[in-house]
Amino acid sequence: MANLYPLLIGLLGLGGPTIEADVVIRGATLYDGSGAAGMVGDVAIRGERIVAVGRFTVAGKPRIIEAKGLAAAPGFIDLHTHSDYPLQKPATRANRCYLHQGVTTVATGNCGSGPVDVAQYFHTLESGKIGTNVLHQVPHSDVRERVMKNANRPPTADELRQMEALVDQGMRDGAWGLSTGLIYNPGAYAKTDELIALARVAARHGGFYASHIRDEGTGVLSALQEALTIGREAGLPVHISHLKASGRRAWGMAADEIALLNKARRAGQAVSADQYPYFASSTSLKATLIPISFREGSPKDYLARLKDAEQLARLRPLVERGLEQHQGGKDIRIARYAPKPAWQGKDLAALAALEKKPAVDIVLEIERHGGAQVIIFSMSEEDVRLIMRQPFVATASDGASMLPTDATMPHPRSYGCFPRKIGRYAIEEKILSLEQAIRSASGLPADILHLPQRGYLKADYFADVVVFDPKTFRDTATFDQPHQYATGVRYLFVNGRLAIDDGTFTEVLAGKVLRHSSKTAEK
């Protein structure tokens, strides 16, 4: 109760106690992360903590940030990034494209991919320093790869024990849960019973199960059912990564997905999801168009199939069928392809016309030369808007730390996810309230993670705080010009230190590794 005293005093208009602080944000409209409407007040920060919220008297001579007309909120928490390896590199460890979005904490190890050795990963991040806080999940695909390589079969009893041991160690070292990517190799080869067994290990440590489910298209409902089954059987919360209805034949299914998940929630199951607010996704060309039966084995095995006449006779019609579902390739744009950078930014149909060959031949050429990252324009705007309004859906980018000097054409979500949701959809278009949009980026992800002392503007919480201008907090990154920082973040505190000061990046790297406290490890 003592921690709430300054806020209660402010709410009651009673003047409040005298507070010692290093910085006071004065006169901002405060959105506390709970989904409550904003109210004008002050925030006091001392060291790495918030010490008061509301109305209070300040002792000494702290720095005063006059914030009238600005909004102050908890620093945003991105539940789904692929910054695992960029954060280990000096050039991108600041995570600047996220800082300019108001993001102070990111989750890695998503879609079953990322470092398996959690302790070593955390050591690397702490040795090099990072711009945002980082938490990690045990990545199923990479665990399976370590034990079984890229084998398309169930594990033996001994192999399953080895995978369980890796998950157990990762959780003991501070991972928050188990993640899967069930369209990617080798995770796609795992059956439900394998996933339940590994999820049970995460459950023993108080972790959760996050999944890029097996099908996000017309088979999405059965894929969601599988995730729910894993959660029930393993006894842990389920989190659906980047919820969507993908592919034109699946448009309109978002309502059915929401109904299914709400039914599980009403039955008492802990279920949540996240979403990036775009009508296009991004992944590898291989995962988009090459069936998993052709992807097993080593890279050498895969390349041999792409050159074998008999295998190609089977593969070509399957790729052609996939292209048909994407308007002959018009919906699939090349984001990164090192052998021919000039192809970046062009769709497969356009490349086929340019090269005067069928689109399937363009696909096979790319795959024979190392593959490509692509953007798939696959969702309906109506479905996107419906999903973002759901109170159990957090905002998450599915992006990665990168710099504007990168000579690729990636999805703009790495630069614009959060201001797009808050600035465009909430403030401009009023698809949802500003307080709900902020909650989806702060208090809700903190609640999903059971993340202590972050995600809310509360006394004694860590001072991860964003102050932004509602008039200018917008995404500027587009599909044609993706490498552009968002605008409108005036001040950003990460653990009480200014990463952005009056709109300028300070180069301060104040992020921390956030370790999950394992229930088993504490015993």
Side-chain angles (χ1 to χ4, degrees), residues 304-384:
R305 289 188 196 100
L306 298 179
K307 295 180 178 180
D308 180 83
E310 183 178 339
Q311 295 276 1
L312 284 174
R314 294 174 48 232
L315 177 59
R316 285 182 67 93
L318 298 176
V319 174
E320 288 169 344
R321 189 180 308 162
L323 287 165
E324 288 171 8
Q325 295 172 13
H326 293 91
Q327 296 198 95
K330 289 180 182 178
D331 291 343
I332 302 175
R333 181 186 293 191
I334 304 299
R336 183 179 68 245
Y337 181 50
K340 292 186 178 180
W343 283 15
Q344 295 172 169
K346 296 181 175 63
D347 65 66
L348 292 176
L351 289 173
L354 182 68
E355 298 292 323
K356 296 181 173 55
K357 60 177 68 172
V360 64
D361 287 341
I362 299 293
V363 172
L364 294 172
E365 177 180 342
I366 290 172
E367 287 302 303
R368 290 187 188 109
H369 291 86
Q373 190 77 8
V374 296
I375 296 170
I376 309 106
F377 294 88
S378 58
M379 285 97 78
S380 77
E381 181 74 13
E382 184 178 350
D383 282 341
V384 171

Side-chain angles (χ1 to χ4, degrees), residues 1 4 21 28 30 42 86 100 111 118 120-121 152 170 202 219 283 307 316-317 342 390 395 442 444 486 509:
M1 186 68 179
L4 299 177
L30 308 181
D42 304 339
H100 284 284
C111 294
V118 177
Q120 180 58 50
Y121 173 52
N152 182 4
T283 188
K307 295 180 178 180
R316 285 182 67 93
Q390 305 310 308
T395 303
S442 55
L444 177 60
L509 303 181

Side-chain angles (χ1 to χ4, degrees), residues 499-515:
I500 295 177
D501 189 351
D502 199 17
T504 300
F505 175 53
T506 65
E507 300 189 18
V508 169
L509 303 181
K512 294 183 176 184
V513 166
L514 306 182
R515 289 173 173 82

Side-chain angles (χ1 to χ4, degrees), residues 59-247:
K61 295 182 179 180
R63 177 179 174 180
I64 304 295
I65 293 175
E66 295 293 352
K68 183 178 180 181
L70 303 180
F76 303 141
I77 300 168
D78 192 332
L79 289 172
H80 194 110
T81 79
H82 292 279
S83 290
D84 313 62
Y85 299 103
L87 287 172
Q88 298 179 64
K89 298 177 181 179
T92 44
R93 70 187 183 192
N95 221 5
R96 186 174 171 181
C97 61
Y98 283 90
L99 294 173
H100 284 284
Q101 297 182 62
V103 173
T104 54
T105 299
V106 300
T108 58
N110 280 292
C111 294
S113 177
V116 173
D117 189 334
V118 177
Q120 180 58 50
Y121 173 52
F122 285 168
H123 174 73
T124 300
L125 295 181
E126 290 174 329
S127 298
K129 296 187 178 181
I130 43 178
T132 60
N133 303 313
V134 177
L135 54 91
H136 192 59
Q137 301 153 96
V138 179
H140 166 253
S141 279
D142 283 0
V143 166
R144 200 176 206 268
E145 173 78 22
R146 179 170 292 193
V147 174
M148 299 177 60
K149 302 301 182 185
N150 191 26
N152 182 4
R153 59 172 175 79
T156 65
D158 181 61
E159 288 168 337
L160 183 59
R161 281 192 293 270
Q162 290 181 56
M163 288 193 284
E164 289 173 332
L166 289 171
V167 174
D168 181 73
Q169 188 60 55
M171 295 299 298
R172 288 177 182 275
D173 289 337
W176 291 75
L178 173 71
S179 88
T180 58
L182 301 180
I183 72 165
Y184 301 113
N185 291 56
Y189 301 135
K191 304 301 182 186
T192 307
D193 59 348
E194 173 186 326
L195 302 175
I196 291 170
L198 298 179
R200 281 177 176 149
V201 178
R204 290 201 297 269
H205 294 271
F208 64 93
Y209 174 74
S211 184
H212 177 146
I213 55 177
R214 213 175 285 275
D215 190 334
E216 295 176 324
T218 54
V220 65
L221 298 181
S222 62
L224 287 172
Q225 286 283 16
E226 180 186 35
L228 294 173
T229 297
I230 291 165
R232 286 193 301 269
E233 293 295 319
L236 79 177
V238 171
H239 183 77
I240 306 301
S241 298
H242 38 63
L243 184 64
K244 62 173 74 75
S246 183

